[in-house]
Amino acid sequence: MENETYIYHIQTEHSGKRLDRFLISVTEGISRSYLQKLIRQGAVTVNDKIIKQPSLTLRSGNQVRLTLPESRPLESVQPEKIPLDILYEDSDLIVLNKSAGMLVHPASGVIKGTLVNALLAHCSDLSGIGGVERPGIVHRLDKDTSGVLVVAKTDVVHRALSTQFEKHTITRQYVAVVCGIPTEVTGTIDAQIARSRRDRRRMSTVLNNGRHAVTHYQVLEIYNKFSLVQLTLETGRLHQIRVHLQHIGHPVACDAIYGGEQRALNDADTQPIKHALIHLKRQALHARTLRFEHPITHDSLLFSAPKPADMHRLIFSLRTLTRAHL
């Protein structure tokens, strides 16, 4: 497959627009975030000059050239026969329940045991937009977060799903056990997120120059020093839920990066709760439901995955303690 090239001549009505916003208005099936990535990689020229600033202001008479890269081959990532919990599959996409402890795609020297390795063994027709390391991957879950994930089999479906994520028309709901009890039963966390300057593995909330991020939450159950919370993503930033919950003082229980591990162990009131927390070995966060429009059939699809055994055990211990105190 050859590179696709598109040439646009800027008319008066588009003068003054940002480069990325203009391109998203004239292309189909490509998300703004993906276009921004292409711009930074040098895939766009203005008047035959490579431009790597998505915020560039266009002027009447400019000529914009966009080159979409061809799908890259997948030979460098090897298939592995790893069991998958598939919730739905057709010729266009796969929806699955990712287990905790599994990386979505190869990274940081890890080239085996990832979801991508398993997917390549399961089927050979994944979208190539993600390239060698991320074929078919439209969105991610953190390694130690379990739950529902959708994977694209074709480039057309990949781009269409990416656009749905970009436009926030996909519904993603999570459940988490958090430390403490939020003051309000329902609320919205609206705080920009950026990579931490002190630790590049972490993200943090910032007042300016971060990425817009919004999380809605609802407290489902209250225990002695913990709560079960439902979270709905309006945006989807890296570590968003974990960072936002830390930001309001209620980190996810057992989250070693964002302060929930030691606090949860300190707040454990009984040995069964402490044992359940130790057995968890990860943040108590699960992607429970995913709703989106099928890009080809246009059906509204809703998928759910039950809480895994380790979270169920923790919640059972917390409920038992709460009943004992009534």
Side-chain angles (χ1 to χ4, degrees):
M1 177 181 174
E2 296 182 353
N3 291 353
E4 299 177 64
T5 300
Y6 301 89
I7 298 175
Y8 307 97
H9 296 277
I10 304 304
Q11 306 299 320
T12 303
E13 62 265 28
H14 295 302
S15 181
K17 267 193 174 183
R18 283 173 53 120
L19 176 60
D20 57 349
R21 290 178 178 169
F22 167 75
L23 288 174
I24 194 63
S25 71
V26 295
T27 55
E28 294 184 2
I30 304 178
S31 70
R32 183 178 171 189
S33 59
Y34 182 57
L35 281 169
Q36 289 175 333
K37 179 180 178 181
L38 291 178
I39 293 169
R40 294 187 180 102
Q41 291 176 342
V44 175
T45 65
V46 177
N47 298 335
D48 296 323
K49 179 181 178 181
I50 294 176
I51 300 296
K52 295 187 177 182
Q53 293 80 37
S55 61
L56 175 79
T57 300
L58 295 173
R59 301 300 179 195
S60 179
N62 287 162
Q63 182 190 79
V64 178
R65 181 189 299 265
L66 167 65
T67 302
L68 296 179
E70 62 179 332
S71 300
R72 292 185 288 165
L74 309 176
E75 287 82 358
S76 65
V77 181
Q78 297 303 311
E80 291 183 71
K81 290 188 176 181
I82 302 171
L84 292 172
D85 183 1
I86 296 175
L87 304 176
Y88 173 83
E89 181 175 8
D90 61 22
S91 59
D92 302 302
L93 52 85
I94 305 173
V95 181
L96 51 90
N97 179 18
K98 186 190 84 69
S99 60
M102 174 182 275
L103 278 173
V104 170
H105 54 74
S108 304
V110 179
I111 60 173
K112 294 183 179 180
T114 73
L115 178 61
V116 165
N117 296 104
L119 286 168
L120 290 176
H122 177 74
C123 61
S124 59
D125 53 350
L126 294 175
S127 162
I129 287 179
V132 176
E133 293 183 344
R134 305 185 186 187
I137 302 303
V138 183
H139 66 124
R140 302 190 322 166
L141 293 177
D142 297 336
K143 175 184 177 183
D144 290 328
T145 298
S146 55
V148 188
L149 190 78
V150 60
V151 176
K153 286 188 175 182
T154 71
D155 290 359
V156 170
V157 170
H158 195 135
R159 288 169 180 159
L161 287 173
S162 294
T163 297
Q164 290 186 48
F165 275 103
E166 184 69 27
K167 292 182 177 179
H168 313 311
T169 57
I170 288 181
T171 301
R172 287 171 285 174
Q173 286 190 337
Y174 294 66
V175 287
V177 176
V178 305
C179 298
I181 302 170
T183 305
E184 302 293 333
V185 174
T186 62
T188 296
I189 309 167
D190 186 344
Q192 295 183 36
I193 291 176
R195 192 169 293 278
S196 170
R197 295 182 178 180
R198 297 180 179 180
D199 185 347
R200 302 300 292 174
R201 300 173 305 163
R202 294 167 51 96
M203 307 299 287
S204 61
T205 55
V206 293
L207 294 177
N208 299 295
N209 301 319
R211 302 192 70 185
H212 175 61
V214 178
T215 305
H216 305 284
Y217 72 86
Q218 178 181 356
V219 178
L220 301 179
E221 298 181 14
I222 295 175
Y223 314 117
N224 190 24
K225 295 182 181 178
F226 298 88
S227 304
L228 179 65
V229 179
Q230 175 179 282
L231 303 121
T232 303
L233 289 180
E234 184 172 315
T235 57
R237 308 307 180 197
L238 182 64
H239 296 182
Q240 177 175 317
I241 288 175
R242 299 162 64 191
V243 174
H244 272 176
L245 287 171
Q246 181 198 41
H247 175 67
I248 65 170
H250 300 288
V252 179
C254 290
D255 189 338
I257 295 180
Y258 294 104
E261 183 177 45
Q262 194 57 53
R263 179 171 168 182
L265 291 173
N266 290 343
D267 288 348
D269 292 299
T270 68
Q271 282 302 116
I273 293 177
K274 184 162 290 189
H275 288 159
L277 289 167
I278 293 172
H279 181 266
L280 193 65
K281 298 178 181 178
R282 65 172 181 112
Q283 64 264 10
L285 180 62
H286 175 67
R288 183 168 63 180
T289 62
L290 181 69
R291 183 194 295 273
F292 61 92
E293 180 184 288
H294 193 294
I296 305 303
T297 67
H298 302 294
D299 292 333
S300 178
L301 302 179
L302 173 63
F303 300 97
S304 299
K307 292 185 290 293
D310 55 358
M311 279 188 65
H312 181 77
R313 176 181 177 180
L314 174 59
I315 293 169
F316 177 80
S317 298
L318 290 167
R319 287 172 177 166
T320 302
L321 173 66
T322 302
R323 285 196 298 269
H325 284 185
L326 292 178

